[in-house]
Amino acid sequence: MKINRLPAPTWRWMAVNDSEADIDAGCISGAHRFKGVTELSKGVSEIGEGEAVTFSGAFGEEFDDAMAAGGITGERFAVEDDTEVDAPVCQEYVLKKTGDQEETDSKYYVNHTGFYVNQNSKLTIIQFITSDKKDEDTHKYIMSTRIKIGKNSEVKLIQVQNLCTGVSFFNDCGIVCDENASFEHIQIVLGGSRTYMGDRCCLAGSKSRYSCDIAYDLKGSHTLDMNYIADHRGAKTASDINVSGVMSDTSSKIFRGTIDFHRGCSAAVGSELEDVLLMNDGVTNKTVPLILCDEEDVEGSHGASIGRLDDNLVFYLASRGMDEETIYRTMARARIDKVIALIEDGDARGRIEEMLS
Amino acid sequence: MDIKENTELTENKKEKTQVEDIDRTIYDFRFDDKDAYKVKEGLTEDIVLQISEEKNDPDWMRDFRLKSLEIYYKSDIPNWGPSIDGLDMDNIVTYVRPNTERMHTDWDDVPEDIKTTFDKLGIPEAERKSLAGVGAQYDSEVVYHNVRKEVEERGVVYTDIESALRGEYGDMIRQHFMKLVPPTDHKFAALHGAVWSGGSFVYVPAGVHLDIPLQSYFRLNAKGAGQFEHTLIIVEEGAYLHFIEGCSAPKYNVANLHAGCVELFVGKGATLRYSTIENWSKNMYNLNTKRALVEEDAKIEWVSGSFGSHVSYLYPMSVLNGRGARSEFTGVTFAGEGQDLDTGTKIVHNAPDTSSYVNTRSISKSGGVNTFRSAVVITEKAKGAKSAVSCESLMVDNISRSDTIPSMDVRTSDADVGHEARIGRISDDTVFYLMSRGMSEEDARATIVRGFADNVSKELPLEYAVEMNNLISIEMKGSIG
C-alpha cells in the first residue's frame, strides 16, 4: 500500500513521491483492535464507537479506503460548546502483541480515535505511545486519529513516541478546522524501528491556524517517514510547520512538508522549517518541502538546513572547553529540548526527560 | 489639466500598472517551407533510417539511433509535471531540411528567406558586433556556421556537430555522444537519440580563455515539426568559454516539439558559462535535456531565461565529479497565458568540497502556471559539500499558479545544505515604504518588479542579440496595479 503521497509528485528517481508501506489493505479488517488507557477530563465525554474515517489524513486515499473497507471503528470523544477543558486528556498506548487483544492470527493492530470539539472550546490531549519489549519485526501498529475543531476552538495534541527496536508504527492524523479554530500538534519521536507519520490539516474556516512542532532522535537503523500537509482553503488562514531532528548511525528519514494554498485562501500565510543535524556518515536524509500556490494574495516560505554544525559555533564552544563529541551531543539534545519546552504540562515534560536520560 | 495631458497621463499610468504579456509579434513571422525536404509525420524505424541516410551517418550512429528508438518505445511518459497530452508524435515531422544545398560560412550565401529570418532576429548583427562565432540552425539543419579566424588559430573548434562527426573529431564525438545523457535517461532523451539532427560541437583546448562568446541560434520554421539539435561542448583544463544559445519559432495552431540535448564536459580548473534565452512560441512542447560534468576545481555557470513554450520541462543538471567542482544556476521564468512551464535544476555532488548555488525567480500572470522543481543530491563521497538554493516566486494575479517542488537527498554528515523559497505578491508595506520616500505608487510597483528579477537579468548576456534584452525591457516596463 502506498502511503504518505506527495500532493505534487516529482522525479521518480528521487524516490520521495510516496512510501510503500508493508500493509496489506485486505488484512486491516481482520486486525486486532487496540485502545489506549484514557483519563478523561471534566468537560470531555465519550460518545461511543463510530466509523473511522470521515475525512482524510496524511496517509492518503488508499489507506482511508482500506480502513473504511475494514469497517474500522473506534472511540470517539466530544467537547461541547463553550467548554474550556482545564486538565489535559491523557492517553497511554502500550504497543504489544499479547494482553487485551483477541488472539487471532493477524499481525496488524489498529486503533482509531475521533475527537469532536464544538464551538468556543479548548482541549489538550497528551498521548504517550510506548512499547515494553523488542518486537520481532513482524507486527504492525496502526493509529488513526481524526479531530474536528469547531468555530473559535483550540486543540493541542501532544504525542510522545518511545518504542522499542523492531516496532513498526503507523500514525496518521486528519484534522479539520472551522472558522478561527486552531490545531497545535507537538510530536516527539524517540524510538522505534519503522515509523510512518503525518498530518493533513484542512484549514477550512477563515482565520483557522495549524502549527506543528516535531522533534526526533533517530539512532541505529531507525527509519522515519513523514508527510505533513497544511491545506489552506479559508481566507486568512495560517500554518507553521517546524521540524527539528538528529540522525545517527544508519538511520534514515524522509520529511515531506506541503503548504497548499487553494484558490480563495486570500491573505493566508504558511511557513515550514526543517533543521536536521547529521551526526555521522551512513545516515540517509531526504527533505521535500513543497509550496503549492493557486492564490495570489498569500505568503508562503520554507527553509531547510541540513548537515553538520556551523564551524563557528563548534569553534566557540570548543574555546569554552568542550570537546567535539560533547558539543554535538549538547546541540543534538538542544533540538529535542526546544520542542519539549513547548509542552506546558509539567508531568509530561518530566516523563519525557526520564525517557531521555 | 487638458484632455491630451490627461490621456497621456492615463496611458503612462496604464503602461506602468500592467505587466504586459511578452510581445512576440517580432518573432511570429514564417516562411513557406514548400521547397523543403521532409520525412513523413510520425515515428517509425523507416523514418529513423531515412534520417540516418540523409545524415550520411557512420554505422555506429545508425545503430545507435535504432537502439534509441527501441528504448523510446519501452519508456513511459513521466507521471509528474505538466500534461503533454496535446503532443501526438504521429503528427510530428521529425526531420525538415530547408531549401539549401549545404551549410554556409557567409551570410550572403544563405538562401534569402533564411537569411531574412536571422536578420530579423539580429543574429548577423550580433555576430559582427560581439561574438567569436555563430551557428544558426533552421528547422533540422545548421545553415550557417562561422568562427573568427583568430579564435580558430588558438585551436578552438566550433563547428556543426555532423561535420565534426564525419571528420577528424569523429572519435572524440563518439566517446562523448550521449554518454552524459544516455537514451535510457528518459523517454525524450531516447527520442532525441533516434532522430537528432543539427547542433554544434565546441572544443576549447587547455588554457585557452575565450573572452568573446560563441552563440548558437535555433529557429523552427516548419509547422508541426520537431527540432532535435545536439550540442556537445568540451572545455579542457584551465580553459574558459561563454556559450550562448537562443531559440524562437512562429506560432502555429498545431503542436511543435523541441527535444534537444546539451552535453557539457568541463575539464579540470576550467569554466564554462552556458546562457540560454528560450523564447519558443506558445504552441511548442519544450522537452529539453541539459547536463554538465564538472571536474576538479572546474565551474559551470548556467544562466537561463525561459519566456516561451506552451509546456516546458527544463532542468539543467550539474554533476560535480571532481574535488572543488562548482555549479551556479541563475534563472528567470515567465509564465503567461496558456503556458505551463516546469523548470528548475538538478545538482549531484559526487566529490569532496564541491559547492552549488541556485538562485531563481519566477513570475506567473494571466493564468500562467510556473513550477520550480529541483533536486540536490549529496553522495557519501561529497564531504565538505555546500549547497544553497534560493527560489522566489511572484504571483501577479489571482488566476495564475506557482508551485515550488524542491527535494534534497543527503548521505554524509559533513555537508552544509540550505534551501529557502518564498512565494507571494508585491508587498503593500514595501510599496508604502517607497511611496514614503517620494515615489508614486505606480513607480514604486514598477521598481519592485524590476528589482525582483534584477539579480537575474543582470547575469543574462547583454551582448546577446536584441531579442533577450527586448524581452526583459518589455516585461520590466509594467508594474502591477
Side-chain angles (χ1 to χ4, degrees):
Chain A
M1 176 190 293
K2 291 205 186 299
I3 62 172
N4 280 354
R5 286 181 190 265
L6 268 182
T10 188
W11 293 293
R12 287 171 284 195
W13 57 269
M14 283 296 285
V16 297
N17 287 334
D18 48 48
S19 287
E20 185 63 50
D22 189 15
I23 299 177
D24 186 334
C27 290
I28 288 183
S29 59
H32 302 285
R33 311 300 163 90
F34 73 95
K35 289 182 186 179
V37 173
T38 302
E39 284 177 32
L40 278 186
S41 309
K42 187 180 169 192
V44 184
S45 55
E46 197 169 342
I47 57 172
E49 292 250 331
E51 66 177 299
V53 176
T54 54
F55 44 90
S56 273
F59 282 8
E61 274 181 23
E62 209 175 330
F63 174 80
D64 292 342
D65 290 345
M67 292 284 278
I72 303 296
T73 59
E75 296 174 294
R76 296 183 304 165
F77 303 96
V79 177
E80 293 303 319
D81 292 353
D82 307 307
T83 306
E84 188 165 326
V85 180
D86 291 325
V89 170
C90 295
Q91 296 186 296
E92 198 74 35
Y93 294 90
V94 180
L95 307 185
K96 56 186 177 181
K97 289 179 289 182
T98 58
D100 294 337
Q101 288 85 8
E102 292 173 23
E103 291 296 330
T104 75
D105 291 336
S106 178
K107 296 184 173 56
Y108 293 81
Y109 296 76
V110 174
N111 167 272
H112 169 72
T113 310
F115 291 92
Y116 300 85
V117 179
N118 288 342
Q119 297 182 95
N120 307 311
S121 298
K122 211 167 168 180
L123 173 68
T124 298
I125 307 152
I126 301 177
Q127 296 177 337
F128 277 87
I129 305 141
T130 57
S131 61
D132 56 6
K133 62 177 180 181
K134 185 178 179 301
D135 199 273
E136 285 99 28
D137 266 9
T138 55
H139 289 71
K140 299 163 196 3
Y141 300 89
I142 301 168
M143 229 170 109
S144 161
T145 306
R146 294 293 184 266
I147 304 175
K148 196 163 189 296
I149 309 174
K151 194 171 166 182
N152 302 322
S153 289
E154 297 173 16
V155 173
K156 184 185 286 192
L157 173 63
I158 298 162
Q159 292 181 312
V160 181
Q161 168 190 326
N162 190 15
L163 301 173
C164 296
T165 303
V167 176
S168 295
F169 180 50
F170 300 81
N171 182 2
D172 179 43
C173 290
I175 308 102
V176 173
C177 290
D178 208 338
E179 185 185 335
N180 204 37
S182 82
F183 177 66
E184 187 183 342
H185 198 177
I186 297 172
Q187 287 183 292
I188 297 174
V189 178
L190 301 176
S193 276
R194 283 163 303 281
T195 302
Y196 299 80
M197 62 191 210
D199 285 353
R200 176 187 287 272
C201 183
C202 178
L203 299 170
S206 63
K207 299 183 190 169
S208 53
R209 303 171 301 284
Y210 166 57
S211 77
C212 180
D213 292 275
I214 302 167
Y216 57 83
D217 185 5
L218 307 181
K219 297 185 171 71
S221 60
H222 191 176
T223 66
L224 177 60
D225 192 302
M226 296 184 273
N227 191 24
Y228 289 81
I229 303 166
D231 212 14
H232 289 257
R233 295 183 184 264
K236 298 184 182 175
T237 48
S239 66
D240 189 14
I241 300 172
N242 294 289
V243 185
S244 184
V246 184
M247 297 177 66
S248 314
D249 305 322
T250 57
S251 57
S252 71
K253 173 230 95 184
I254 173 167
F255 168 69
R256 304 175 192 83
T258 302
I259 300 170
D260 194 351
F261 294 117
H262 292 265
R263 193 156 296 179
C265 71
S266 60
V269 175
S271 77
E272 57 183 313
L273 188 61
E274 194 197 10
D275 173 19
V276 189
L277 178 60
L278 307 180
M279 300 291 274
N280 52 253
D281 286 352
V283 298
T284 300
N285 173 82
K286 294 187 182 182
T287 297
V288 194
L290 269 59
I291 302 179
L292 308 177
C293 187
D294 202 17
E295 169 60 55
E296 175 212 6
D297 182 20
V298 297
E299 284 177 31
S301 64
H302 66 222
S305 175
I306 301 158
R308 59 186 180 173
L309 290 174
D310 180 69
D311 288 339
N312 291 329
L313 173 68
V314 173
F315 176 78
Y316 175 79
L317 293 174
S319 73
R320 293 313 186 260
M322 291 170 82
D323 62 78
E324 193 163 318
E325 191 189 331
T326 305
I327 292 169
Y328 266 82
R329 269 194 284 111
T330 304
M331 298 312 293
R333 179 59 196 260
R335 277 160 173 75
I336 315 293
D337 286 346
K338 187 172 71 170
V339 177
I340 295 173
L342 298 172
I343 300 172
E344 289 163 359
D345 187 87
D347 291 339
R349 282 205 313 274
R351 197 167 157 196
I352 299 167
E353 293 290 345
E354 278 175 28
M355 289 174 176
L356 286 169
S357 61
Chain B
M1 185 185 293
D2 64 19
I3 293 171
K4 186 178 172 207
E5 195 177 333
N6 194 26
T7 305
E8 280 174 1
L9 200 63
T10 305
E11 287 302 310
N12 282 341
K13 188 171 174 180
K14 188 179 171 187
E15 187 183 75
K16 287 187 176 174
T17 56
Q18 287 180 1
V19 174
E20 298 295 339
D21 206 341
I22 304 297
D23 181 4
R24 289 199 167 76
T25 54
I26 57 170
Y27 312 105
D28 198 20
F29 62 92
R30 78 237 15 216
F31 288 95
D32 189 5
D33 60 356
K34 65 176 169 54
D35 294 327
Y37 167 77
K38 299 182 197 180
V39 297
K40 278 174 61 174
E41 295 170 345
L43 184 65
T44 62
E45 187 175 301
D46 282 345
I47 287 172
V48 171
L49 285 170
Q50 250 184 294
I51 294 172
S52 185
E53 197 175 311
E54 186 66 27
K55 303 270 112 184
N56 196 20
D57 277 340
D59 288 346
W60 74 265
M61 181 55 79
R62 185 194 63 236
D63 295 341
F64 183 92
R65 289 183 187 272
L66 292 172
K67 183 77 187 157
S68 297
L69 183 65
E70 270 179 45
I71 296 169
Y72 172 81
Y73 286 138
K74 290 178 188 161
S75 306
D76 55 4
I77 302 240
N79 63 350
W80 48 270
S83 167
I84 53 172
D85 288 348
L87 177 64
D88 183 354
M89 282 307 299
D90 289 342
N91 294 332
I92 296 288
V93 176
T94 53
Y95 180 77
V96 178
R97 172 161 48 77
N99 187 20
T100 172
E101 289 295 324
R102 58 181 177 84
M103 186 181 76
H104 301 280
T105 56
D106 187 327
W107 282 109
D108 289 336
D109 297 331
V110 174
E112 194 57 39
D113 52 351
I114 298 174
K115 180 173 181 302
T116 303
T117 297
F118 288 105
D119 270 334
K120 285 186 174 198
L121 296 167
I123 305 307
E125 184 185 351
E127 182 187 12
R128 282 193 297 275
K129 282 187 179 169
S130 58
L131 296 170
V134 162
Q137 178 154 339
Y138 194 88
D139 291 332
S140 301
E141 292 290 350
V142 176
V143 295
Y144 174 87
H145 223 288
N146 196 19
V147 61
R148 289 190 188 183
K149 191 162 177 268
E150 60 270 28
V151 171
E152 263 188 329
E153 285 168 355
R154 295 174 73 186
V156 174
V157 176
Y158 180 40
T159 180
D160 67 294
I161 194 169
E162 287 160 23
S163 302
L165 184 62
R166 291 188 291 271
E168 63 182 293
Y169 299 100
D171 285 342
M172 189 183 283
I173 306 265
R174 187 173 183 176
Q175 273 173 19
H176 292 85
F177 187 85
M178 293 200 84
K179 294 293 193 298
L180 208 42
V181 182
T184 48
D185 206 81
H186 58 81
K187 191 174 181 77
F188 295 96
L191 174 65
H192 176 90
V195 298
W196 77 273
S197 174
S200 300
F201 170 64
V202 183
Y203 174 81
V204 183
V208 173
H209 188 107
L210 213 54
D211 291 320
I212 310 171
L214 301 175
Q215 176 194 303
S216 283
Y217 197 94
F218 304 98
R219 177 74 177 176
L220 185 56
N221 179 70
K223 181 178 176 178
Q227 193 170 72
F228 308 94
E229 85 289 350
H230 194 96
T231 301
L232 176 60
I233 299 179
I234 298 171
V235 183
E236 295 280 29
E237 184 171 342
Y240 174 86
L241 170 69
H242 182 188
F243 190 88
I244 305 166
E245 68 173 16
C247 54
S248 66
K251 188 178 175 188
Y252 293 104
N253 58 4
V254 296
N256 275 36
L257 169 64
H258 175 240
C261 183
V262 174
E263 295 182 291
L264 311 174
F265 294 85
V266 191
K268 186 176 172 182
T271 299
L272 172 57
R273 186 168 172 100
Y274 198 93
S275 299
T276 304
I277 312 307
E278 182 270 291
N279 189 30
W280 293 121
S281 50
K282 283 191 180 178
N283 61 306
M284 181 71 76
Y285 286 81
N286 181 29
L287 313 176
N288 211 15
T289 311
K290 301 180 186 181
R291 199 160 295 167
L293 183 67
V294 189
E295 299 296 349
E296 185 180 340
D297 291 326
K299 185 177 180 189
I300 177 75
E301 299 171 355
W302 300 98
V303 181
S304 179
S306 298
F307 297 90
S309 300
H310 166 56
V311 168
S312 247
Y313 281 63
L314 181 64
Y315 323 99
M317 178 174 182
S318 306
V319 179
L320 305 178
N321 218 32
R323 177 183 288 274
R326 290 168 293 162
S327 169
E328 278 185 22
F329 181 93
T330 307
V332 62
T333 304
F334 180 90
E337 185 181 349
Q339 295 184 284
D340 192 340
L341 306 184
D342 200 307
T343 62
T345 185
K346 297 181 269 188
I347 304 139
V348 176
H349 291 249
N350 197 37
D353 300 325
T354 48
S355 62
S356 62
Y357 176 65
V358 175
N359 180 2
T360 68
R361 300 284 186 271
S362 69
I363 301 166
S364 307
K365 70 178 285 286
S366 302
V369 178
N370 233 317
T371 302
F372 170 76
R373 192 181 300 272
S374 71
V376 174
V377 176
I378 312 277
T379 71
E380 288 161 8
K381 295 191 227 175
K383 294 190 190 319
K386 289 181 169 45
S387 177
V389 176
S390 168
C391 158
E392 290 194 40
S393 305
L394 188 65
M395 302 267 290
V396 173
D397 53 44
N398 61 2
I399 58 169
S400 303
R401 188 177 176 95
S402 184
D403 292 342
T404 305
I405 307 178
S407 51
M408 285 150 272
D409 183 336
V410 181
R411 306 286 176 121
T412 174
S413 62
D414 187 10
D416 241 312
V417 178
H419 176 95
E420 60 176 15
R422 276 187 300 183
I423 193 162
R425 58 192 291 268
I426 292 180
S427 160
D428 291 336
D429 288 346
T430 310
V431 173
F432 177 78
Y433 174 81
L434 291 175
M435 287 174 68
S436 73
R437 293 312 189 259
M439 278 191 183
S440 68
E441 182 178 352
E442 292 82 7
D443 283 345
R445 290 183 183 277
T447 301
I448 292 164
V449 170
R450 280 195 296 271
F452 180 76
D454 182 50
N455 60 331
V456 172
S457 62
K458 71 185 180 198
E459 295 293 333
L460 291 166
L462 292 176
E463 64 273 18
Y464 193 80
V466 167
E467 180 184 15
M468 177 56 220
N469 292 323
N470 277 345
L471 290 171
I472 295 292
S473 297
I474 289 166
E475 184 177 335
M476 291 300 111
K477 260 185 194 165
S479 65
I480 293 81

